[in-house]
Amino acid sequence: MSVRLQILDLAGAALVFVGAAICLLGVIGMLRLPDVLSRSHAATKPQTLGMLLVLAGVALRLRSGMDLATLALIGFFQLMTGPVAAHLVARSAYRTGQIDHGELLFDELDEQLTEEN
């Protein structure tokens, strides 16, 4: 095994470890944060970054074209679905009254919902 491949494997392992640690911090945030909006933030931001770092680490380890294409598709669909799902959960929590409106700095959605068409 050449030195170059060993360096790539070590960098891949480091990326997987850092990505897993960021995902763990996101899970801790989901458990510890008090309301739906904060939890939805913790569910998407660190999870998406952590997952992309894990995918980059796995890509450095696998190195074949088909594997890289599969990892790219996984990353693309995760980037498209994760934040959209969290947005929909936060919006449904807002509409069902599970949001404390006194905690919000700006409430632009209230103006949109109360406008008469």
Side-chain angles (χ1 to χ4, degrees):
M1 185 179 233
S2 71
V3 175
R4 179 182 170 271
L5 293 178
Q6 288 178 344
I7 291 172
L8 286 175
D9 285 344
L10 184 61
L15 284 175
V16 167
F17 179 75
V18 170
I22 290 174
C23 287
L24 178 65
L25 290 174
V27 169
I28 292 170
M30 285 176 52
L31 294 174
R32 304 265 329 213
L33 291 172
D35 60 343
V36 176
L37 296 179
S38 299
R39 287 180 181 172
S40 68
H41 180 78
T44 54
K45 303 285 183 181
Q47 297 299 338
T48 303
L49 175 64
M51 186 268 321
L52 289 176
L53 288 175
V54 168
L55 288 177
V58 172
L60 285 177
R61 177 67 177 109
L62 293 179
R63 298 183 202 95
S64 74
M66 186 60 89
D67 293 333
L68 294 178
T70 303
L71 292 172
L73 281 174
I74 292 170
F76 173 75
F77 286 121
Q78 180 66 30
L79 284 174
M80 293 298 112
T81 58
V84 171
H87 175 78
L88 291 175
V89 167
R91 186 163 238 201
S92 67
Y94 183 90
R95 287 179 182 255
T96 57
Q98 297 177 5
I99 305 295
D100 182 18
H101 294 281
E103 300 272 330
L104 299 176
L105 295 177
F106 299 103
D107 193 2
E108 295 173 355
L109 189 58
D110 186 41
E111 297 168 2
Q112 292 176 359
L113 292 176
T114 57
E115 284 182 2
E116 293 183 25
N117 293 325

